Amino acid sequence: MAASELYTKYARVWIPDVEEVWKSAELIKDYKQGDGVLNLQLEDGTELEYKLDPKTNNLPHLRNPDILVGENDLTALSYLHEPAVLHNLKVRFFDSKLIYTYCGIVLVAINPYETLPIYGTDIINAYSGQNMGDMDPHIFAVAEEAYKQMARDERNQSIIVSGESGAGKTVSAKYAMRYFATVSGSASEANVEVKVLASNPIMESIGNAKTTRNDNSSRFGKYIEIGFDRRYHIIGANMRTYLLEKSRVVFQNAECMKYAVFLLTRLGPKTAVFQQYHLMLSNTWSYRDELCITFSS
Ligand SMILES: Nc1ncnc2c1ncn2[C@@H]1O[C@H](COP(=O)(O)OP(=O)(O)O)[C@@H](O)[C@H]1O
Ligand SMILES: [Mg+2]
């Protein structure tokens, strides 16, 4: 069957919209090959003659049947295109507050910008030892899969976290690390996993800064390597940073800030932090009227 034969009366499509990005519409007349327009009705009842581009004659994307919408794996959808992906993610998030969805082995995460009660030790324990497909999509399921495969195949595993600024990469990486620290248990008195987690705030204070899109933006790329012993306990971690935005030290755009560690200077040299790290205020250095710190030793 030619794809165009699917465009019959009552078929539903997505058409581009300046405000809503994609708008749903229903065909009120069968489409015949060669037609220059589609006769559509929008959800608010408005009828519309939708002109097809005469050069490409591309038909709009078809909408998935409602029964498929809300699936926890995007690959289960009949039509997988941008409006289908966005609509499915939106329905899951708005109707059920679900921020995680799979697309095969890839986990798609929506930043909820609020603390959700889905990261506790009870949830970690629920995911521990389970198969990815048996549980709701979650960053813990991805972490569990990597942990399990490391143990089973005795091979290094990598989790790649990507997304635009403010998407939730740093937070996701921290939850994955928390998962490993919790399930791997303590190998020794040294509590290495606690130390690995405790290193995060220090890393962030010297590498994170407020931007217009993220109050705690990591201004560098981060490669975190976590080492496990033969019994799969954490024995150490190695963090390599790259592409640190050095220019931020001396220049910040409007409404952006310098690295968090420099803001400690506002607390003044008498604070414990200053004494602990032998820091003092310097009046001799001034970058764009901002205070700067020097090391006293
Ligand atoms: N899973 C989440 N739950 C709650 N808040 C989140 C989550 N992911 C991100 N956030 C919020 O969004 C902000 C930006 O996320 P962050 O991980 O720093 O973005 P990125 O590293 O991708 O630039 C965080 O400071 C946090 O307030
Ligand atoms: Mg970040």
Side-chain angles (χ1 to χ4, degrees):
M1 184 161 82
S4 59
E5 287 172 36
L6 296 167
Y7 292 79
T8 51
K9 194 174 173 185
Y10 303 123
R12 292 184 308 163
V13 294
W14 291 108
I15 54 170
D17 185 73
V18 197
E19 265 175 29
E20 294 177 39
V21 186
W22 296 100
K23 228 175 186 162
S24 180
E26 191 177 279
L27 268 75
I28 47 177
K29 221 175 107 194
D30 287 355
Y31 163 83
K32 279 187 286 326
Q33 198 134 19
D35 285 354
V37 291
L38 279 182
N39 291 92
L40 301 177
Q41 184 170 42
L42 298 175
E43 281 185 325
D44 63 8
T46 330
E47 293 192 3
L48 175 86
E49 279 205 340
Y50 180 79
K51 281 199 182 60
L52 299 174
D53 184 337
K55 276 201 213 105
T56 60
N57 242 0
N58 280 348
L59 289 159
H61 293 301
L62 285 163
R63 197 175 151 161
N64 282 297
D66 281 342
I67 188 149
L68 291 180
V69 174
E71 283 281 344
N72 70 10
D73 190 334
L74 297 170
T75 59
L77 300 175
S78 304
Y79 306 116
L80 191 56
H81 39 58
E82 186 188 302
V85 168
L86 294 178
H87 183 64
N88 200 64
L89 298 179
K90 182 175 160 186
V91 167
R92 284 172 66 75
F93 185 62
F94 278 102
D95 293 359
S96 318
K97 262 262 159 100
L98 296 167
I99 62 164
Y100 294 118
T101 305
Y102 290 127
C103 183
I105 60 161
V106 175
L107 178 75
V108 182
I110 290 178
N111 186 343
Y113 281 107
E114 65 175 298
T115 311
L116 299 179
I118 55 168
Y119 300 108
T121 315
D122 49 334
I123 310 279
I124 292 184
N125 291 333
Y127 275 87
S128 178
Q130 300 295 323
N131 287 321
M132 212 163 155
D134 298 340
M135 304 287 289
D136 280 339
H138 200 294
I139 181 69
F140 292 160
V142 174
E144 169 61 23
E145 196 65 15
Y147 190 68
K148 196 164 45 199
Q149 289 192 22
M150 170 188 68
R152 193 183 58 204
D153 304 339
E154 304 225 314
R155 290 179 69 164
N156 292 333
Q157 304 290 321
S158 302
I159 298 175
I160 299 171
V161 188
S162 77
E164 62 176 334
S165 181
K169 300 180 293 295
T170 303
V171 170
S172 299
K174 280 196 276 193
Y175 283 133
M177 285 171 74
R178 184 189 290 176
Y179 186 86
F180 296 132
T182 308
V183 297
S184 76
S186 199
S188 62
E189 298 284 289
N191 264 336
V192 186
E193 67 285 350
V194 175
K195 287 185 186 158
V196 168
L197 289 183
S199 66
N200 267 325
I202 300 166
M203 283 295 298
E204 294 195 348
S205 66
I206 51 180
N208 287 25
K210 185 180 186 298
T211 64
T212 49
R213 302 172 74 184
N214 184 352
D215 285 351
N216 186 35
S217 181
S218 324
R219 307 312 298 163
F220 58 106
K222 197 161 33 173
Y223 178 77
I224 309 170
E225 204 170 54
I226 304 175
F228 295 85
D229 67 9
R230 291 254 134 224
R231 290 165 60 217
Y232 317 118
H233 297 311
I234 294 181
I235 47 170
N238 188 357
M239 245 176 247
R240 260 175 275 162
T241 63
Y242 51 93
L243 296 175
L244 179 71
E245 192 186 36
K246 294 182 191 140
S247 59
R248 179 167 294 267
V249 174
V250 290
F251 176 80
Q252 302 93 32
N253 285 323
E255 289 177 59
C256 289
M257 287 192 182
K258 59 193 138 194
Y259 288 111
V261 74
F262 289 105
L263 295 174
L264 291 172
T265 58
R266 294 207 195 284
L267 299 174
K270 294 237 160 58
T271 60
V273 171
F274 268 70
Q275 279 154 17
Q276 190 181 348
Y277 296 109
H278 307 287
L279 301 170
M280 61 182 191
L281 282 173
S282 166
N283 298 325
T284 47
W285 293 85
S286 166
Y287 291 121
R288 298 181 76 232
D289 300 320
E290 295 285 12
L291 292 172
C292 181
I293 50 171
T294 57
F295 294 88
S296 64
S297 60

